[in-house]
Amino acid sequence: MSIINQSRLSDLIHQKEGPLTRELLLSPGGFGLGKVPEKNTPDAMTQMVCGFCGTGCNLNIHLKDGEGVCVTPTTEYPVNLGMACPKGWEALSVLKSPDRAISPLIKKSHNHWEPVDWDTALNLFTRKFKGIQQQYGTDSVAFLSTGQMVTEEMAFLGALAKFGMGMLHGDGNTRQCMASAVTAYKQSFGFDAPPFTYQDLEESDVLVFVGANPCIAHPIMWERVMRNSHDPEIVVVDPRKTETAMQATQHLQIYPKSDLTLFYGIARILIEGGYLAEDFIQNHTEGFEEFAAHVRDYTIERVANETGLSRAAIEHFAEIIHSGKRVSFWWTMGVNQSYQGVRTAQSLINLALMTGNIGRAGTGPNSITGQCNAMGSRLFSNTTNLLGGHDFLNAEHRSKVAETLSIPVDRIPTENSWPYHKIIEGILAGKIKGLWVICTNPAHSWINQRQVRDILNRLDFLVVQDMYHTTETARHADLVLPAAAWGEKEGTFINAERRISRVKRVTRAPGQALSDFSIFKLIAQYWGCADMFSQWKSPEDVFQMMKQLTKGQPCDISGIEDYAAIEEQGGIQWPFPESNTKPLEQQRRLFEDGQFYHQNGRAKMIFSEPTKMPEAPNEQYPFILLTGRGTASQWHTQTRTKNSDVLRKLYPARIYVELNPQDASELSIKPNDKIFVESQRGRIKARAFITQSVQPGQIFIPMHYEQTNQLTDAVFDPYSSQPSYKCCAVRVLRN
């Protein structure tokens, strides 16, 4: 035997690195666990909501010496019923990453930051931002927040920035995922009000998923569909044959962005057939006659021509809706992230209204939320609306908020903030000189990525407050503030079905990292406005103020006593006013009485002509780029999920492009070939994945990879200002 082979054999027998044998021994875990390593044997257990997506699953957190060591899904929670996706199982592991920000960092030179103490960091924060405001005006500093902090921190940030620091402009990354649904609900119903409960996924006999792939994006919601005992029809409207489309009873593989035409055409068929809930239309809606006149032009020939669907498929879809007793319409980013996302969402709302599929079990026009606390952001971040779903432009609302918070009413802006893209444009125009980015990563996620990175570099001062110091945005920061993560602080999330759930501190934040709540308290002190926030002592104190802010609003939660009540009830859906005298039900829908939030109590049927694709394919760029979620194991920009060894193994590390076999053959591209994808904005290198999932002339790239948004086009919905990530013109080249 050679000396080398002897050495290898010796290494196998006598392992010099890794865990000791006794550390690999398994012992009974208790608390519902099987056998676990001794170091992870818990001595206690608590529960809290997951911190990834807007589904809002509850997790059992198994504790040892007061620290979370492992998780299991909560069996009795009304959201996930004992299920968890890969991200939930790995929720604790991403907290232990070496990429964690453990001290404030000040940029000293290109690609070089030095750690400092909090006093130095906050003195710099205050001096720089105040200096910018003194030179250029208070509106020259803005903030970008998130749908991933606890609600109480969002409220504190929005109040501190706008009431304490005098900022006018601030928006959140919920602009990227939910703005079109929010605007559609506000215009149609009078308030941002998703009407459903997850139980509807089990009660529908017809489920229509539009631009939604819950098998991948919301797997626990898909598990609820699999529990449906009514043998439902499942219709998927999507240009790509997604994992969800493969499970559908009918897949309508439409031409990209032809969905608005399709739904107007379906409305025409239903109207002509008399397949309407006439009493509901007459008593609870307005604008139906105008809508009916509008859709007369959407003949089946026009719809077939524009969507690429057969006449038979269109008629069959209309018949399924007509014959269904409990029809629910579900959509996500395929609708929202569009240059006409609001009107497309409202076309689904109109279908639900005209057929009476709202306010009953198994029905509804239902937008599926992306981020874990997007709903909290929509109501309490003080960005697109005043705290508690109020209006900055309404003097009565401003007075109510000022009185509730015991602040001067003149500290509340009387104007709306610029939306996200206007803030970015404001930096480019030299109107925004300082930016505070909290728990979000625009240098990865924002559309036309190369441009936004260039724009961030033009700022006089950029502060990034995050749990990791390695995010793409943190690499541009002048100051990095280390923040605690989910599981390291207290508060609440609000999920897609309006359920308020608890977040708890189950482990210590590393190094000098602080909760965002504590950071905001310190900034208020250093800024000189701490007296304004003297009542904001703890997250639960803020929750009590949130209750008062919502009184009389559609989202009234004044009847929730405290955090303990939320836990005892398995989460509580809004609304839950203190005047409520009924026993609390775990599943509650909106509009059961047919009353909406407009002054006349009616829902509005809103519509307009479809607009042309802003960047249609052409001779030079003949393909349409589609983007979306590519796996259940990664999340958004992978900021957290890439820090899990397990989750990284469940997904290709290298970026890939889905390409139809016909196109691949014409371009002489084989599976796994390295190819280039180019748009007018950028060029990326990727591997080819040949698949029938995409139609000829279209390609798909998952959104999780850093390079993807180098290609996307900065086009926005005119009503919601949401970016249109889902289609732009590209070309594919062999390497």
Side-chain angles (χ1 to χ4, degrees), residues 630-702:
T631 174
S633 64
Q634 291 299 332
W635 180 245
H636 287 188
T637 63
Q638 301 189 65
T639 301
R640 281 179 292 169
T641 47
K642 71 181 179 184
N643 283 284
S644 160
D645 292 338
V646 171
L647 295 179
R648 284 200 310 274
K649 293 174 183 176
L650 298 177
Y651 188 57
R654 292 176 293 186
I655 188 169
Y656 65 92
V657 179
E658 291 188 3
L659 188 69
N660 185 274
Q662 178 181 318
D663 295 321
S665 176
E666 291 175 0
L667 294 168
S668 299
I669 293 172
K670 295 184 175 63
N672 246 1
D673 276 358
K674 292 180 181 178
I675 61 175
F676 293 106
V677 181
E678 290 183 358
S679 73
Q680 295 185 58
R681 292 154 296 281
R683 183 189 206 198
I684 68 170
K685 189 175 183 179
R687 289 190 176 272
F689 177 49
I690 315 303
T691 175
Q692 295 281 2
S693 294
V694 289
Q695 301 179 75
Q698 301 168 28
I699 66 170
F700 172 81
I701 305 177

Side-chain angles (χ1 to χ4, degrees), residues 404-470:
T404 301
L405 301 182
S406 302
I407 63 172
V409 71
D410 60 5
R411 300 304 295 264
I412 300 178
T414 58
E415 303 173 50
N416 286 323
S417 165
W418 285 342
Y420 203 126
H421 74 290
K422 291 294 184 183
I423 292 174
I424 299 297
E425 291 172 10
I427 300 170
L428 188 61
K431 296 179 180 179
I432 301 290
K433 296 288 188 176
L435 185 66
W436 185 13
V437 177
I438 306 97
C439 192
T440 187
N441 191 14
H444 178 135
S445 64
W446 194 244
I447 206 159
N448 193 357
Q449 183 189 99
R450 286 180 176 170
Q451 183 188 53
V452 79
R453 292 184 180 188
D454 172 68
I455 291 172
L456 290 175
N457 288 331
R458 297 170 185 241
L459 287 161
D460 287 4
F461 197 62
L462 172 62
V463 178
V464 172
Q465 184 170 316
D466 206 290
M467 65 183 287
Y468 298 113
H469 67 84
T470 54

